[in-house]
Amino acid sequence: MHIQHKSTFPKFKITFYLPHIFSSLFLYLFQPLPFFSLSLPLSSSFFSLHYTDALSKSILFFEGQRSGFLPSDQRQKWRANSGLSDGWTYNVDLTGGYYDAGDNIKFGFPMAFTTTMLSWSVIEFGDNMPPNELRNALVAIRWSTDYLLKTVSQPNRIFVQVGDPNSDHLCWERPEDMDTSRSVYAVDAPNPASDVAGETAAALAAASMAFRSSDPGYSETLLRNAVNAFQYADSYRGAYSDNADVKGAVCPFYCDFDGYQDELLWGAAWLRRATQDENFLNYIQSNGKTLGAEDNINEFGWDNKHAGLNVLVSKEVLDGNVESLESYKTSAESFLCTLIPETSSSHIEYTPGGLIYRPGGSNLQHATSIAFLELVYANYLSRTSQTINCGNVQVSAQSLRERAKRQVDYILGDNPLGLSYMVGYGNNYPQRIHHRGSSLPSVNDHPQKIECHEGSIYFNSTNPNPNVHVGAIVGGPGEDDVYGDDRADFRKSEPTTYINAPFVGVLAYFAANP
């Protein structure tokens, strides 16, 4: 999976931080393990409580990523209003939404994917959530969908980004103090944006299902706009990052590396799920080959939707015997077989401690999204009492759940370092995450503005971040299970919305089924 190789601080500065990497690593490796080191036998009720706690925190994280005017019930109190003039250059309101990671940019492509995954989490596992956490999850979705509706509010135009990342990444600055350019990037017909528009269609369609029972009127609005977004995506085919007007701002951060075709199928599949309309069924049947449904089937993330698409569409085959979609089910099961070391088709790498590992940075996005797909497919298999034939191994729903649980437990602290990779969970977690708002004093504690380059002393500091970004899951350890807790090492220490989003559903399942 391609991920953005983005430094959210000037690269020429990095040379000054190498001593911090080693000093942090030394301090880190020789600190005592937490009391819950998992060599101890733990009761299922202990874990149940902790999965529920982790679920609550994984949703709370999104409040720390909010842009816009914050409500009175904001729980991450170190954050305040930001980006209140977003959209003014187009005379349109583009306030709200989420910052993608530790910077202050609103990237539409990963935000839409985050929204799809939060919504899918509620669709599949909302019944497992305590009522207050289901409410919090819907609030997290709506913070994003309210913004995404604004991005498709003008005919034949989609707003794909707010904020110039090149100037933003030169500053270490709180979102509340932003004085970098809040440039607005839009794509107008007939210029293509199939990837962002297709993912936005998927997000709005999935969210319409999540809100169907609690807010039918809002659900209808989401679905109507999802159809319009998909029409744009399908009518003007191509990648948004090929557009010269936006390429310099979206690349190399969230370029479309893997093509736009998967987002067309993904958007159509979600519209089929949300509407049960035969036209969308026909679309995914007839366009599967031409749009490469059987290519890159072992990838899933903000850029490549294939594995998720295949799992999603497989429900129609397993539940409804729609044989014309059998190739999607075959691809989904081929992907799941690659995760199992005992099979001849295994090709996923694991760290010595058992974590799924793919090179490139922000590795935990793979662990959370793959664990999510394993649990969803396990649910589909359970309903029909089927198994997966992986050549020499038969894989059951229970086996998939056990594999997903291994990833969850690793992230929450059952790993060689005894470290929880979720901030604020347990007693031992990353203290120096690569995140501007978390690492700078809050406006409550330091009301005076901190200028662009005045933040450097906080970035360079070896002190723990003053604001605990509860629920943030960092990029995670390297292929050797080592994590240095170093703010400058953004590939390991930066949290992102799309690491957390699938984990919400995963934790909901294990909170109810420890």
Side-chain angles (χ1 to χ4, degrees):
M1 188 178 308
H2 294 278
I3 48 181
Q4 82 291 12
H5 294 286
K6 61 171 189 167
S7 168
T8 54
F9 205 63
K11 285 185 179 153
F12 60 83
K13 291 267 188 188
I14 297 299
T15 50
F16 300 133
Y17 311 135
L18 285 173
H20 296 165
I21 294 174
F22 295 118
S23 63
S24 302
L25 186 59
F26 180 85
L27 289 169
Y28 191 74
L29 291 176
F30 293 98
Q31 62 185 340
L33 289 176
F35 79 97
F36 62 86
S37 174
L38 280 114
S39 57
L40 300 175
L42 297 172
S43 70
S44 62
S45 61
F46 178 97
F47 257 138
S48 177
L49 288 172
H50 279 65
Y51 290 132
T52 305
D53 181 41
L55 169 64
S56 173
K57 288 171 176 170
S58 70
I59 300 168
L60 178 59
F61 159 75
F62 289 93
E63 294 192 18
Q65 296 300 117
R66 284 172 168 173
S67 182
F69 187 83
L70 303 189
S72 58
D73 61 357
Q74 168 80 12
R75 294 176 293 166
Q76 299 260 39
K77 298 295 186 185
W78 48 273
R79 283 297 324 283
N81 301 337
S82 63
L84 297 183
S85 61
D86 284 358
W88 73 270
T89 52
Y90 271 80
N91 200 27
V92 64
D93 173 16
L94 290 175
T95 57
Y98 291 118
Y99 303 118
D100 72 302
D103 53 19
N104 301 324
I105 305 299
K106 296 192 305 206
F107 293 97
F109 196 17
M111 197 193 310
F113 175 70
T114 293
T115 311
T116 308
M117 296 308 296
L118 274 175
S119 300
W120 200 1
S121 291
V122 166
I123 292 164
E124 296 289 350
F125 304 109
D127 290 345
N128 296 128
M129 295 181 185
N132 62 318
E133 294 308 341
L134 176 57
R135 186 191 68 82
N136 288 334
L138 289 171
V139 168
I141 294 168
R142 188 162 186 154
W143 195 269
S144 194
T145 51
D146 282 352
Y147 172 79
L148 293 176
L149 288 172
K150 296 174 182 181
T151 68
V152 294
S153 61
Q154 298 186 355
N156 293 315
R157 169 178 287 166
I158 179 167
F159 295 102
V160 298
Q161 185 168 314
V162 179
D164 170 25
N166 299 304
S167 61
D168 179 272
H169 291 171
L170 291 172
C171 294
W172 196 257
E173 192 170 45
R174 300 180 296 202
E176 295 82 4
D177 287 338
M178 276 189 291
D179 50 14
T180 54
S181 167
R182 299 302 287 169
S183 303
V184 172
Y185 299 91
V187 177
D188 293 317
N191 294 303
S194 298
D195 30 32
V196 183
E199 184 62 68
T200 300
L204 297 176
S208 78
M209 295 179 67
F211 282 102
R212 191 165 284 161
S213 59
S214 63
D215 193 340
Y218 189 60
S219 173
E220 276 299 308
T221 298
L222 292 169
L223 194 53
R224 186 174 65 252
N225 282 274
V227 172
N228 292 341
F230 183 77
Q231 286 174 343
Y232 188 109
D234 195 39
S235 300
Y236 310 108
R237 291 189 178 186
Y240 86 127
S241 51
D242 289 343
N243 183 322
D245 292 338
V246 302
K247 184 171 187 174
V250 304
C251 295
F253 314 106
Y254 294 101
C255 266
D256 184 334
F257 296 100
D258 281 317
Y260 62 88
Q261 294 88 343
D262 52 329
E263 278 82 25
L264 290 175
L265 292 167
W266 177 243
W270 272 111
L271 282 161
R272 162 63 180 171
R273 179 95 174 249
T275 64
Q276 290 301 300
D277 188 321
E278 293 295 309
N279 289 321
F280 293 114
L281 175 63
N282 293 337
Y283 188 97
I284 52 180
Q285 284 171 340
S286 57
N287 287 289
K289 283 262 191 291
T290 55
L291 292 176
E294 294 172 27
D295 303 341
N296 302 317
I297 60 168
N298 301 326
E299 302 280 344
F300 187 53
W302 62 261
D303 186 24
N304 189 318
K305 310 300 157 27
H306 282 98
L309 165 71
N310 293 325
V311 166
L312 177 68
V313 174
S314 294
K315 184 177 189 295
E316 298 246 18
V317 186
L318 290 162
D319 285 3
N321 295 312
V322 182
E323 291 182 8
S324 59
L325 298 174
E326 183 70 39
S327 63
Y328 288 91
K329 175 176 175 284
T330 301
S331 292
E333 296 188 349
S334 294
F335 161 69
L336 292 165
C337 290
T338 68
L339 304 174
I340 298 167
E342 301 80 44
T343 68
S344 54
S345 55
S346 167
H347 79 250
I348 295 283
E349 189 179 338
Y350 290 86
T351 68
L355 178 69
I356 286 170
Y357 183 78
R358 310 197 80 154
S362 294
N363 178 59
L364 288 184
Q365 67 177 307
H366 307 301
T368 62
S369 62
I370 288 172
F372 180 90
L373 294 183
E374 288 175 321
L375 288 181
V376 169
Y377 208 82
N379 274 2
Y380 298 166
L381 287 177
S382 291
R383 290 202 281 269
T384 54
S385 303
Q386 295 188 44
T387 59
I388 302 173
N389 179 5
C390 293
N392 54 328
V393 179
Q394 289 295 315
V395 178
S396 65
Q398 184 57 26
S399 170
L400 290 175
R401 288 172 179 140
E402 287 166 1
R403 302 198 70 79
K405 187 174 183 295
R406 178 72 199 98
Q407 299 306 304
V408 175
D409 291 351
Y410 185 108
I411 291 169
L412 295 182
D414 183 5
N415 57 58
L417 296 182
L419 177 73
S420 161
Y421 289 102
M422 177 186 284
V423 174
Y425 176 86
N427 286 356
N428 187 19
Y429 52 80
Q431 303 290 318
R432 300 166 191 83
I433 68 171
H434 183 97
H435 190 279
R436 287 158 174 72
S438 170
S439 67
L440 291 154
S442 76
V443 289
N444 304 324
D445 298 328
H446 189 294
Q448 301 81 16
K449 180 172 180 175
I450 299 172
E451 301 281 351
C452 171
H453 292 297
E454 291 175 352
S456 300
I457 58 168
Y458 300 100
F459 180 82
N460 287 318
S461 168
T462 54
N463 292 331
N465 288 8
N467 308 308
V468 180
H469 195 347
V470 175
I473 303 171
V474 295
E479 59 191 323
D480 51 3
D481 295 303
V482 172
Y483 182 84
D485 198 12
D486 176 47
R487 198 175 291 116
D489 189 1
F490 64 91
R491 288 184 176 85
K492 291 183 177 180
S493 63
E494 187 170 26
T496 74
T497 58
Y498 45 88
I499 296 176
N500 269 65
F503 211 49
V504 169
V506 170
L507 289 169
Y509 176 81
F510 286 114
N513 302 278

